[in-house]
Amino acid sequence: MNTLVIGSGGREHAIVRALNRSDRVNEVFALPGNDGMTEATLVEGIPVSEFDQIGEFCKEKNIEWVVVGPEDPLSEGIVDRLEDKFNLKVFGPRKLEAQMESSKSFTKHLMKKYSVPTASYEVFTDKSKATAYLENGDFPIVIKKDGLAAGKGVIIAQDLSEAQKALDELMETDGEVVIEEFLDGDEFSLMVLVNGDAFTPFNIIAQDHKRAFDNDEGPNTGGMGAYAPVDYISQNIIDEAVDKIVRPTVNAMVEEGLNYFGVLYLGAIITKDGVKTIEYNARFGDPEAQILLDLLETDFVELLESMYNKQPLQLSFKDEYAVGVILASEGYPGDYEKAKEIIIEKGTMADIYVSALKHLDGDTYESNGGRVLLAIGRGGTIDEAKENAYDTLSKVKYESSDFFYRKDIAYKA
């Protein structure tokens, strides 16, 4: 069969590779893809926003499965159009269901209504009322932009001054903010495959590193690295997350008339009062997808078909560890410059997931985004995997003033 992956980042590169490993796949197309996705045929000239053109392309190329990677087209209704007008099989939630990520207030209200453990919160559209609430708040406190923000629309304010600055930033234009209780504890990411009332959690969890700099300092980013499995978080904790968070959420969506199909990403935290929800995303995490799909042994097409048909599915993962380290443009997640040269040693690309690189010639590339690549390492122990990840990164050559990375990925392991 032929398949199409929508998106251009490292997560989509991981999906491309997972599809490419399947014996059932003839050709993988990526729209728009990036120059690192040598395992796919890149689709040029069709914008991700042009759903009808994408549908016509799928019919022309006999695409049997479309996998949507990023959140923006999901929230804009790409699945609705491809399913309803072109009768395509698409892995990803429709616009209504994608609100689980695209509207934080929608999801918080759902969890509150159905008693799913999460931080206490209030929603504001009026800055003066939000400011008055903060003046009587407990710090630290979390302020989130309601809507998509590429993983960066969350600010943890330590005091009122920081909170007011966050409001100025996140309410720069009209819109809602969610102000919620700060939860303290270890975080983890659990990917769950969902189709209506049926769901299958991944057998292993990953841990993301959101802050830009070592020791979890600096601003929130889309993710600076990840690792899996996370041994120090017990199976009992994961079972608690499934029983008290995932299952009630899936049941709540059904009760509310939602028909969710795709990946539901649970960002969870272990607090003194048990496991609670930090957030839900309506797609694979990035960079967690690169790690988890690298370890996945189950045929990815079998995964898609089993979930589509609501058939029992036993996921299988390699019996090893994986650590991924993001190389980011200097200045990210704020302003940064593109077109900075990177040279990747021959034979290294198999251990790299490309997020934003433009190929120039031979082993030479230039940056084309904030996060440019993820270097992965695998091993029989977490220390071996971590050492191999940083060894992979050492084979990527660049001016040190142009890029940065965290040197403590997987430190909690």
Side-chain angles (χ1 to χ4, degrees), residues 256-269:
E256 292 293 309
L258 304 179
N259 186 22
Y260 195 102
F261 178 60
V263 174
L264 188 65
Y265 161 129
L266 168 64
I269 186 167

Side-chain angles (χ1 to χ4, degrees), residues 185-191 204-210 216 223-233 265 268-270 287-288 291-292 322-324 408-413:
D186 284 334
E187 300 179 20
F188 63 90
S189 306
L190 175 63
M191 306 297 157
I204 60 175
I205 58 173
Q207 195 167 62
D208 185 15
H209 296 64
K210 281 288 188 187
D216 291 327
M224 292 300 296
Y227 71 97
V230 186
D231 286 344
Y232 80 90
I233 295 178
Y265 161 129
I269 186 167
I270 308 165
E288 296 98 324
I291 303 305
L292 293 168
V323 174
D408 63 346
I409 301 301
Y411 75 95
K412 287 188 178 180

Side-chain angles (χ1 to χ4, degrees), residues 220-251:
N220 264 1
T221 71
M224 292 300 296
Y227 71 97
V230 186
D231 286 344
Y232 80 90
I233 295 178
S234 71
Q235 187 61 46
N236 288 339
I237 294 291
I238 300 169
D239 292 343
E240 180 183 344
V242 172
D243 292 339
K244 295 184 178 179
I245 297 176
V246 175
R247 183 172 285 108
T249 299
V250 170
N251 291 340

